[in-house]
Amino acid sequence: MSAAPSFDEAFAAKLGELLAWRRDVRRFRTDTLPEALLEKLLALMQLSPSVGHSQPWRWVRLRDLKQRAAVQASFAACNAAALADYEGEQARLYASLKLEGLREAPEQFAVFCDHGTLQGHGLGRRTMPEMLDYSVVAAITQFWLAARAHGVGVGWVSILDPDAVRRIVEAPPEWKLVGYLCVGFPVEEHDVPELVRAGWEKGRS
């Protein structure tokens, strides 16, 4: 049995800073991420907890420009539909928001939950089957924090048609899209959420 590590107050303070500076990034530099760094972040993501140790996350890396263009088209259509739901000043403000970094981010991942996985033998999912999806969310969060600790930004794009994204990457029908991530070095750094800075929402803190 390995000895448990000791996390001192200095580490705890740094962890608090990491949580504060973990912000959704929409403005990316186009610099290529070192492959070794990306592999390290994905390896750290694999340490994430999952129900029944099912590890249901399936990360699909999009490098094909045609695929990326199709995702951008899905965003444009979904964003236009979302804009139509707002009126007046709120519509004007919504239209001014930058809600994705799909054209700039050097790395992009469609992250799915494999609802057909046999790993874990169903443990913990009989009464709460949604725990599979939550396990993928936890993995994304772990990746996000690891990325931020290495100076890399992450943007989670949700204004997309999940079925369209699944078709674009030719994912199996039992895979459910949980998140589409833009990944890269950020153009700017902020510890205040962009939607707060833009005046869209105040938040709780």
Side-chain angles (χ1 to χ4, degrees):
M1 181 181 295
S2 302
S6 175
F7 301 111
D8 58 18
E9 291 185 8
F11 176 87
K14 279 293 184 183
L15 178 59
E17 290 181 26
L18 175 62
L19 296 175
W21 285 89
R22 191 279 327 134
R23 292 300 168 201
D24 193 81
V25 174
R26 287 87 182 268
R27 295 170 176 82
F28 294 92
R29 289 162 30 197
T30 56
D31 311 36
T32 301
L33 284 178
E35 193 68 21
L37 174 56
L38 193 57
E39 290 177 0
K40 181 177 183 178
L41 298 180
L42 290 171
L44 290 170
M45 176 275 297
Q46 292 285 359
L47 299 175
S48 183
S50 61
V51 62
H53 198 58
S54 56
Q55 298 179 306
W57 45 78
R58 305 289 181 262
W59 291 61
V60 178
R61 186 179 183 183
L62 280 83
R63 309 178 83 172
D64 183 85
L65 295 182
K66 289 183 178 179
Q67 287 185 327
R68 289 194 179 192
V71 172
Q72 291 169 18
S74 177
F75 170 82
C78 294
N79 194 47
L83 175 59
D85 288 339
Y86 299 105
E87 297 179 351
E89 178 61 21
Q90 196 170 34
R92 185 203 64 77
L93 181 55
Y94 182 91
S96 72
L97 297 173
K98 181 169 175 54
L99 299 173
E100 44 76 31
L102 294 169
R103 288 173 176 77
E104 306 89 352
E107 294 292 343
Q108 297 179 28
F109 292 91
V111 187
F112 295 87
C113 178
D114 182 359
H115 283 218
T117 184
L118 299 178
Q119 185 171 330
H121 309 288
L123 191 155
R125 289 150 41 196
R126 181 179 178 84
T127 53
M128 295 183 66
E130 64 271 22
M131 287 300 295
L132 273 181
D133 295 334
Y134 298 161
S135 297
V136 178
V137 173
I140 290 173
T141 301
Q142 188 143 315
F143 174 86
W144 204 328
L145 292 173
R148 176 69 287 192
H150 287 82
V152 176
V154 177
W156 188 329
V157 185
S158 61
I159 307 173
L160 294 168
D161 179 344
D163 290 332
V165 174
R166 186 172 53 76
R167 290 193 297 271
I168 289 167
V169 303
E170 299 181 344
E174 63 270 20
W175 287 16
K176 174 186 175 182
L177 183 70
V178 174
Y180 191 92
L181 305 182
C182 294
V183 182
F185 295 115
V187 169
E188 54 192 19
E189 303 279 3
H190 295 280
D191 63 346
V192 176
E194 179 157 345
L195 294 181
V196 174
R197 300 197 311 274
W200 181 262
E201 183 57 76
K202 293 181 180 179
R204 296 183 181 178
S205 61

